[in-house]
Amino acid sequence: MRVFHGSASGMSLISSSRTLFALARALPFVVLVSVLGIELSPAHFLYTGPLLSPAPALAAITMGPAGTGSVILMAGVVSAITATYNHAWGTQLVYANLLALLVVSVASLATSTARVRRERELATVRRIAQVSQDVVLRPVPARLDGVRAAGVYLAAEAGARIGGDLYEVLATPFGIRIIVGDVRGKGLPAVRAAAAVLGAFREAAYYEPGLPDVMRRCEAALRRELSRASPARTGGAEDPDAPEGDPAEQFVTAVLAQIPDAPVVELVSRGHPSPLLLRRGEVSALEIACPLPPLGLEEFLGTPPVPVEKYVFEQGDQLLLYTDGVLEARDTGGNFFDLPTHLARLRGRPPQELLDRLRLFLVDHTRGHLADDAAMIIIERDTP
């Protein structure tokens, strides 16, 4: 599984930012050399004293304490050289410039030290976020029993690692089992709901013989998670991190797929977009004959058993499961992303390459500005 955010224009922006950062780091030294050159030239009548004091402040923006200290030292040396060359020692102006340089230098060192400390703390938080992502959204194995797989996750929010989309691919005694889902809402409550559903799936997928039973286990886990929003169910104490709003409005769309040894794929869908089947260059949607409401809205499900839909899934076929963030991605003109057309253009490509190309099509369509998180999983029944 790969996590991406941005597009080619975003990469260009990153390159430009690095260039600007390098120029900003060089600016204090350019100022010091310029002051020294002016003072030692026939143009020394120009008053350059005020240019020395900002140099440490400029260094503190982009450098650590060591770099800022070197700029302060150089500024002091330049000030001493220019005062000696111009025979200005003993004048009030020189001492005023040195005092200003001292005050700015102390403040710059303090600022630089605090900034470096914050950057280290942020780096630690990012490492923790990466570990959390690997726990909630584990990498999709490239090859399992008789199939090849790949996954991709695109975060709508810059810097985000995980969100309300969920997926997992497991090799179980009953065949390859896959879940792809989308939690209504965003933020920490959505992540917690996704983690609850994934945890239930990872446990039930190995022990429940039928997909409907696996789905029921996922639904029960989600119900327990959402019940934390109701003070009546938690002894009157409401969890501050619980989902906001009516718990009845919290739900998860999900689709379960199972690939046994037989040349078929079995599906159970709860309000999720239909998977797409790519066979010999033709794309078809695996429409669910009996649509069911999402997880968390079981009051609308009724008592009939949950049906399992079966479709032919032969060697060389590719199955794409995705979240609605892919279908609802719009360009600047408000046009939706045409997933089936783009998928048909990528026939004959291995799963990882196909998803990489599909990701590029998607971020180019949206100019790198996704309105919602998007996740895609592709499964290919391997050929002998």
Side-chain angles (χ1 to χ4, degrees):
M1 185 275 295
R2 299 184 182 182
V3 178
F4 296 95
H5 179 85
S7 61
S9 59
M11 297 302 294
S12 176
L13 182 60
I14 292 175
S15 178
S16 300
S17 299
R18 289 176 178 174
T19 302
L20 292 175
F21 182 77
L23 292 175
R25 296 195 70 173
L27 186 58
F29 301 100
V30 173
V31 171
L32 295 178
V33 172
S34 300
V35 169
L36 186 61
I38 292 173
E39 291 291 342
L40 299 181
S41 71
H44 64 85
F45 58 87
L46 297 175
Y47 182 49
T48 60
L51 295 179
L52 290 177
S53 298
L58 293 173
I61 298 175
T62 57
M63 301 181 189
T68 304
S70 65
V71 172
I72 293 172
L73 180 61
M74 291 179 62
V77 171
V78 169
S79 182
I81 291 175
T82 57
T84 302
Y85 182 79
N86 294 319
H87 306 288
W89 289 110
T91 63
Q92 185 178 3
L93 189 60
V94 168
Y95 295 122
N97 289 338
L98 289 176
L99 180 60
L101 179 61
L102 176 62
V103 172
V104 174
S105 297
V106 172
S108 299
L109 279 175
T111 301
S112 178
T113 302
R115 183 179 58 81
V116 170
R117 185 183 300 112
R118 287 196 300 268
E119 289 179 351
R120 289 174 179 172
E121 293 174 352
L122 181 59
T124 302
V125 171
R126 285 175 175 170
R127 287 194 295 269
I128 295 174
Q130 182 64 52
V131 173
S132 300
Q133 176 201 354
D134 293 339
V135 171
V136 178
L137 300 179
R138 298 187 298 200
V140 174
R143 186 178 293 274
L144 297 96
D145 298 336
V147 303
R148 293 191 294 172
V152 65
Y153 174 80
L154 297 96
E157 183 178 355
R161 291 287 186 179
I162 52 179
D165 288 356
L166 59 99
Y167 46 83
E168 182 65 282
V169 181
L170 299 174
T172 74
F174 312 101
I176 306 301
R177 284 181 166 176
I178 308 107
I179 184 173
V180 174
D182 188 0
V183 181
R184 179 185 182 274
K186 298 180 180 181
L188 181 59
V191 174
R192 294 174 66 166
V197 174
L198 278 175
F201 171 77
R202 289 166 179 163
E203 178 70 17
Y206 287 98
Y207 300 105
E208 297 292 350
L211 284 184
D213 296 325
V214 177
M215 187 68 84
R216 277 190 283 269
R217 292 276 294 273
C218 294
E219 185 173 57
L222 177 64
R223 189 164 52 248
R224 289 192 297 269
E225 174 63 28
L226 296 182
S227 67
R228 298 168 56 250
S230 174
R233 299 183 182 181
T234 56
E238 187 172 356
D239 190 336
D241 291 330
E244 298 179 359
D246 187 354
E249 296 180 358
Q250 308 295 328
F251 57 84
V252 177
T253 66
V255 59
L256 292 182
Q258 177 172 289
I259 304 174
D261 294 334
V264 297
V265 58
E266 303 173 1
L267 297 176
V268 172
S269 179
R270 296 291 297 272
H272 202 75
S274 300
L276 297 178
L277 179 67
L278 179 59
R279 174 181 295 151
R280 293 185 288 273
E282 298 293 332
V283 176
S284 58
L286 303 186
E287 300 290 349
I288 304 300
C290 300
L292 299 174
L295 301 177
L297 301 179
E298 59 272 16
E299 63 268 22
F300 301 106
L301 181 60
T303 56
V306 176
V308 177
E309 312 277 354
K310 290 187 178 183
Y311 303 90
V312 175
F313 190 55
E314 302 172 333
Q315 292 176 346
D317 290 352
Q318 293 178 317
L319 181 69
L320 179 68
L321 301 97
Y322 51 92
T323 59
D324 58 8
V326 179
L327 292 180
E328 296 176 358
R330 297 173 182 253
D331 61 12
T332 54
N335 301 308
F336 289 106
F337 182 68
D338 191 350
L339 179 59
T341 299
H342 288 291
L343 182 61
R345 294 170 56 187
L346 299 172
R347 60 184 180 275
R349 300 181 186 274
Q352 190 60 65
E353 181 183 350
L354 187 151
L355 275 194
D356 287 344
R357 293 293 189 91
L358 203 57
R359 173 190 64 85
L360 290 176
F361 289 150
L362 182 60
V363 295
D364 183 66
H365 179 80
T366 61
R367 297 295 187 268
H369 300 288
L370 290 170
D372 192 8
D373 294 348
M376 293 179 284
I377 298 289
I378 189 164
I379 305 293
E380 177 183 337
R381 188 178 285 279
D382 215 353
T383 56

